[in-house]
Every structure is written in structure tokens, then in C-alpha cells.
Amino acid sequence: MPKAIRPVRDDAASFRSAFRHLAGGVSVVTVGHGDDRTGMTATSISSLSAEPPTLLFCVNRSSSTLLALERHRAFGVNFLDASQKQIADRFAGRQGEKGVQRYEGASWTSAVTGAPLLVGGLASLDCEVEEMIERHSHSIVIGRVRAVRLGHEGAALVYWRGDYERLGWMAEEAATAVGLLPY
């Protein structure tokens, strides 16, 4: 027997519920230098153009990350692997972490712009702010990619239905599965 058709709704809670069904890769956006660093967890990173390499993401206008982006005009986008859930939680401020506290427990480097780039992730993009467009509660940040740092070939951390999941296999799991490593 078919399910009953639910009524169409146009409220913010329904909108958020609908988007919980869209899986998204988990990244951390990193901004600043030294003790003036902050950042955020994001699933809204999107490629805009390959020529020139450009991306976009959205950030709440009340976020400390937006103020840092306006100040520094450079940022890193770091694609997390399935083992880096704790980094995603820290940059989301799940335990109240703010600013430079979010960088604890991970190794960082930099490239062209000096923005913090995660060591050990799937990939990191070093970007300069090209444009910021205010729309409603958020700003759309368009960034020109200045450097790409490729990491390892592992399982991706994704966000789906309000929780973290993994997509793919970690390298050691794949090697074990095909008999290259002992159990």
C-alpha cells in the first residue's frame, strides 16, 4: 500500500529537514594566523569553475569565521577523511571550542596565502577571497584557489541525516580486503 502523501510545507524547519537527506562531504574552512585563527565545519563547499580554479561556500553572517575572512581575505578548505570526525566536531564547536582551540589535536601547514592547511586529510585548497555576497542570513564566499595539496586516498567523511558517515574504504581496509595485509 502506498504511503500517504504529506502536505507541502514552506517553513524553515521543513527546509532544514529536507536538506538532511542530501549527503555532503565534510570539510573544515580555516582562516587566520597564529593566535588569530578560527574556522568552521562545512558541507556547503562547491566547485564553481576549473578555469580559473574557483570554489564557493556559505557562512552565517553572525559567525566569527566571516569576520576573520573579511580581515584576512584568505582561507583553507580541508576535505576530511572518515577518521577525522573529531576535527569536524571541534570546528563545529560541539564542545564549545572557539578560535585557535579548534586547531588542537591536528597538524597544520600553509602554502601560498598562509592560511592553515590540514596535514593528513584527503586534500586541502589554499584560497584567496575573490568576492563575498550577502544574502539573507548568510554570505556566499567565492574563493580563487591558489594552491592544491593532495593527501591520501582514503574514505571520505560525509554528513547525512544529522550524523557523520563514511564513504569508501580506508587504504589499509582495502589492502586487507584484497589480501595484501595480514588480518
Side-chain angles (χ1 to χ4, degrees):
M1 175 170 217
K3 287 185 172 183
I5 297 175
R6 294 183 180 180
V8 174
R9 302 174 72 182
D10 66 352
D11 59 288
S14 295
F15 177 80
R16 283 191 291 275
S17 291
F19 266 86
R20 289 171 62 103
H21 295 284
L22 179 63
V26 180
S27 300
V28 290
V29 175
T30 50
V31 184
H33 309 284
D35 289 337
D36 184 28
R37 289 181 291 168
T38 192
M40 64 181 225
T41 300
T43 58
S44 64
I45 307 295
S46 181
S47 167
L48 180 61
S49 171
E51 293 182 21
T54 312
L55 59 79
L56 64 85
F57 67 97
C58 300
V59 58
N60 192 301
R61 289 175 50 206
S62 66
S63 170
S64 62
T65 301
L66 182 63
L67 296 173
L69 284 165
E70 290 170 342
R71 210 170 39 251
H72 293 281
R73 306 295 296 177
F75 60 95
V77 174
N78 304 277
F79 302 152
L80 301 184
D81 77 25
S83 72
Q84 296 173 318
K85 177 185 177 299
Q86 76 285 355
I87 296 172
D89 283 341
R90 274 198 307 278
F91 275 82
R94 294 252 168 111
Q95 300 298 318
E97 301 92 336
K98 294 187 183 301
V100 74
Q101 294 173 324
R102 294 179 176 184
Y103 290 81
E104 294 173 4
S107 297
W108 302 92
T109 189
S110 61
V112 177
T113 71
L117 301 177
L118 179 64
V119 174
L122 297 175
S124 295
L125 307 173
D126 184 27
C127 306
E128 290 178 342
V129 172
E130 189 170 89
E131 187 175 358
M132 298 170 83
I133 304 165
E134 291 186 9
R135 286 293 182 272
H136 311 295
S137 62
H138 284 65
S139 285
I140 302 162
V141 179
I142 299 173
R144 177 76 59 94
V145 178
R146 295 298 181 194
V148 175
R149 181 186 173 120
L150 297 176
H152 62 87
E153 297 288 327
L157 185 64
V158 296
Y159 192 73
W160 183 56
R161 294 187 176 169
D163 202 2
Y164 296 113
E165 301 288 342
R166 60 185 275 157
L167 180 63
W169 291 21
M170 299 300 283
E172 59 276 3
E173 293 171 323
T176 300
V178 298
L180 297 177
L181 293 176
Y183 297 96

